[in-house]
Amino acid sequence: MKQLETMILENGKVLGEDILKVDAFLNHQIDPVLMKGIGEVFAEAFKDSGITRILTLESSGIAPAVMAGLELGVPVVFGRKSKSLTLTDGLYTAEVRSYTKKTVNEIAVSKSFLNKDDVILVIDDFLANGQAALGLKSLVDQAGATLAGMGIVIEKTFQPGRGILEDQGVRMVSLARIEKFEAGKVVFAPADI
Ligand code: 5GP
């Protein structure tokens, strides 16, 4: 997605070897026009999949997921993160190792908001090692729902997440795909869209 790649080049900051900071438009401040465009592109990619609900993870997945939900006319539910849950009645839960914070969080979603008849589109901001995506997939699997695919805003292709998910038969659609960071600059691989 050209508009997203341009935004990354103009406002993204490379941190160390493998982190892209996008606080200016996605992870802290949010660019609504860009989010609207992202929602439209995800909706177009999954318009024939019979999506009934979108699942994302708080907090940075919510903005793109809501815009896609608006386009597809379906509700958006987000997995909540907490250090460790004691009361898990009524919840589907999964463990997720945070890529950026190096901590393990439990993610949880109420059983009321994921049903076995649902066809789910998972949306997240980044795909690196695939831990967040696997956790979200686990919530869908626990509900007995169908996973139509995953929409990722920014994928880093030099990390193994996509391969892990595709090996499990998940359709992956990434709007920007980063092949590498070179001297502090982003080098893109061809995007899916
Ligand atoms: P994974 O679980 O695939 O290893 O990492 C994905 C999660 O880690 C995303 O939900 C995102 O919050 C965070 N993440 C991974 N890589 C980056 C990055 O380069 N920049 C930012 N801002 N977040 C990242």
Side-chain angles (χ1 to χ4, degrees):
M1 183 184 174
K2 201 78 217 145
Q3 188 189 0
L4 173 63
E5 289 185 352
T6 304
M7 186 66 94
I8 291 170
L9 291 176
E10 288 177 358
N11 296 298
K13 290 198 171 54
V14 178
L15 292 188
E17 301 273 287
D18 56 7
I19 302 267
L20 179 71
K21 197 168 173 191
V22 291
D23 280 14
F25 59 92
L26 179 59
N27 286 157
H28 192 16
Q29 173 170 259
I30 292 171
D31 185 316
V33 175
L34 178 66
M35 291 308 126
K36 185 165 184 292
I38 285 172
E40 287 166 0
V41 175
F42 280 143
E44 176 64 25
F46 287 96
K47 68 175 190 300
D48 298 324
S49 302
I51 305 296
T52 61
R53 209 181 290 256
I54 293 175
L55 174 65
T56 187
L57 201 52
E58 69 174 351
S59 53
S60 294
I62 295 176
V66 165
M67 291 301 183
L70 189 62
E71 283 296 314
L72 288 168
V74 299
V76 177
V77 58
F78 59 91
R80 292 187 158 161
K81 293 176 188 169
S82 79
K83 276 262 166 328
S84 88
L85 293 168
T86 42
L87 288 173
T88 56
D89 281 4
L91 299 173
Y92 298 118
T93 65
E95 275 196 353
V96 172
R97 178 169 294 278
S98 163
Y99 184 84
T100 44
K101 301 195 184 92
K102 312 289 177 209
T103 54
V104 176
N105 284 309
E106 208 142 18
I107 63 167
V109 68
S110 165
K111 289 181 179 172
S112 318
F113 301 128
L114 273 188
N115 305 319
K116 67 173 174 18
D117 305 332
D118 272 322
V119 180
I120 303 289
L121 168 60
V122 164
I123 287 183
D124 203 11
D125 60 341
F126 271 89
L127 179 66
N129 291 329
Q131 293 302 301
L134 284 172
L136 289 164
K137 180 178 185 299
S138 165
L139 301 180
V140 175
D141 291 346
Q142 288 170 52
T146 303
L147 180 59
M150 296 196 180
I152 301 294
V153 180
I154 304 171
E155 173 191 339
K156 292 179 287 181
T157 66
F158 56 88
Q159 290 169 324
R162 189 188 187 106
I164 293 168
L165 272 300
E166 283 185 340
D167 283 351
Q168 298 193 16
V170 181
R171 179 184 169 206
M172 304 299 291
V173 174
S174 303
L175 304 190
R177 303 181 70 224
I178 297 177
E179 189 182 308
K180 59 181 171 184
F181 298 128
E182 210 167 53
K185 294 268 172 293
V186 175
V187 178
F188 291 108
D192 294 318
I193 280 185

